[in-house]
Amino acid sequence: MKVIAWDDFEQVELRVGTIIEVQPFPEARKPAYKLWVDFGEDIGIKKSSAQLTALYQPEQLLGRQVLGVVNFPPRQIGPFRSECLICGFYRPDGAVVLAIPEQEIPNGAKLG
């Protein structure tokens, strides 16, 4: 594991947002959903591709708050342009468990 400086961590914009739309992403190499996440007034709505299909159905994701990195450059994933990284933890079987806030908080709140 690489040790980083506190200044490095402070550069990562980890924000909370609410999933407002979920669509299948059949063109993805690995099973995934297309997500639209509302990160609040200052950041707005960002799109992401997320490999959450093993544990979550679309209706379970709608309205759920998640953590996301919002200051990575956009990344082209097949025909879809991902604008943020939704955070999760890998289980031993490879399934992703979402990293979520324990309580509801305003969209755009920064992890720190």
Side-chain angles (χ1 to χ4, degrees), residues 18-85:
T18 301
I19 298 172
I20 60 170
E21 186 175 348
V22 181
Q23 291 183 8
F25 191 7
E27 304 90 353
R29 278 188 247 162
K30 295 182 180 179
Y33 294 124
K34 297 177 192 176
L35 304 178
W36 282 259
V37 182
D38 182 354
F39 286 101
E41 191 174 306
D42 291 341
I43 298 168
I45 296 169
K46 290 194 172 271
K47 302 180 296 184
S48 184
S49 169
Q51 296 173 7
L52 302 172
T53 59
L55 299 179
Y56 302 95
Q57 295 299 312
E59 58 273 8
Q60 294 172 297
L61 295 170
L62 274 177
R64 184 175 284 223
Q65 285 195 305
V66 293
L67 294 178
V69 178
V70 297
N71 64 331
F72 282 146
R75 184 172 177 189
Q76 195 70 36
I77 302 174
F80 188 71
R81 193 165 175 86
S82 187
E83 302 169 327
C84 64
L85 173 70

